[in-house]
Amino acid sequence: MDVLVFEPNLLGYHYEIIVIDDGSPDGTLEVAEQLQKIYGEDKILLRPREKKLGLGTAYIHGMRHATGNFIIIMDADLSHHPKFIPQFIKKQKEGDYDLVSGTRYQGNGGVYGWDLRRKLISRGANFLTQVLLRPSASDLTGSFRLYKKKVLESLVERCVSKGYVFQMEMIVRARQLNYTIGEVPISFVDRVYGESKLGGNEIVSFVKGLLTLFATT
């Protein structure tokens, strides 16, 4: 798992990039170390862990080292392009949103590099969540988001799901707590190197998690 936690102060803002690497065998940490040499330890913070411990704990680990009031979370494989970050910041300022989520399913958002099976699974999962949970957001399973730091801390404390369901529960809990949610259309591009981990076990876990949220929220 490779997660970038941005303190979003690009283009004239103060920022830091926190890299959480869970023992990835693909050389992510080595690349991050080279970037740290170029940009400095004050801009690139490396906070690796020895093994995969879950997405929620990765968020907590990153938050502990974040110094700003806002946090952007995105995948480190460039499936989430940094060019959208200024749009997230602009959207947050427009409505003082507690959370701004990237959406693949509104405006000019989209997905590139997935085969038909993966697109159908994603669309089907999103449709089911809309029907059962009515979350007031168009894309629940994406992970490219901007949070107020205090809001993120509050949500992580309440979320119990793992895997793909975790992102969905974050939005559902935000709605329950009356946090405001803005959306920015994004283009999601499947990773060029490595493989996305979506198999039968992940799908079954997603369905179980969805039904649990339906019954408890």
Side-chain angles (χ1 to χ4, degrees):
M1 177 190 302
D2 312 310
V3 179
L4 292 184
V5 182
F6 277 87
E7 292 292 346
N9 286 328
L10 304 176
L11 300 178
Y13 297 89
H14 298 294
Y15 72 92
E16 61 191 8
I17 299 174
I18 303 174
V19 182
I20 312 299
D21 178 76
D22 283 1
S24 297
D26 59 4
T28 296
L29 184 59
E30 288 75 11
V31 172
E33 288 172 344
Q34 293 299 316
L35 291 173
Q36 187 180 61
K37 292 178 181 178
I38 296 171
Y39 294 102
E41 295 183 3
D42 60 325
K43 296 297 184 186
I44 309 291
L45 283 69
L46 307 183
R47 298 295 181 263
R49 303 188 296 178
E50 292 184 359
K51 59 181 180 179
K52 186 174 182 179
L53 298 173
L55 186 60
T57 61
Y59 283 14
I60 294 171
H61 189 60
M63 286 189 299
R64 287 174 179 168
H65 302 283
T67 59
N69 296 320
F70 297 90
I71 293 176
I72 290 178
I73 296 178
M74 59 190 297
D75 292 347
D77 59 6
L78 293 182
S79 294
H80 299 143
H81 201 291
K83 70 180 181 181
F84 294 108
I85 291 176
Q87 297 178 38
F88 277 72
I89 297 173
K90 180 181 178 181
K91 186 68 176 183
Q92 194 284 323
K93 287 183 175 180
E94 287 176 355
D96 191 29
Y97 291 106
D98 296 307
L99 185 167
V100 177
S101 179
T103 175
R104 298 162 289 181
Y105 305 124
Q106 291 291 330
N108 58 354
V111 176
Y112 302 91
W114 280 359
D115 58 21
L116 180 60
R117 171 182 173 273
R118 184 68 186 269
K119 288 182 178 180
L120 289 175
I121 291 174
S122 179
R123 282 286 188 176
N126 203 61
F127 175 76
L128 284 175
T129 57
Q130 296 293 334
V131 171
L132 295 179
L133 304 179
R134 301 185 182 279
S136 302
S138 62
D139 191 344
L140 272 73
T141 56
S143 57
F144 195 176
R145 295 173 183 168
L146 180 155
Y147 295 88
K148 290 181 178 178
K149 185 178 179 182
K150 291 183 178 180
V151 170
L152 180 58
E153 291 172 339
S154 173
L155 292 174
V156 169
E157 287 177 358
R158 290 169 170 79
C159 288
V160 298
S161 302
K162 297 180 180 180
Y164 292 94
V165 183
F166 179 83
Q167 301 292 358
M168 184 169 61
E169 185 178 359
M170 292 283 279
I171 294 289
V172 173
R173 300 299 178 192
R175 182 204 62 190
Q176 281 187 324
L177 297 170
N178 293 318
Y179 288 135
T180 54
I181 303 173
E183 291 190 310
V184 170
I186 64 167
S187 299
F188 178 92
V189 181
D190 197 19
R191 64 182 65 181
V192 176
Y193 301 102
E195 297 181 359
S196 298
K197 304 175 183 65
L198 179 63
N201 291 336
E202 285 78 14
I203 294 173
V204 171
S205 295
F206 175 84
V207 173
K208 288 181 178 178
L210 173 61
L211 294 176
T212 298
L213 286 176
F214 176 68
T216 59
T217 60

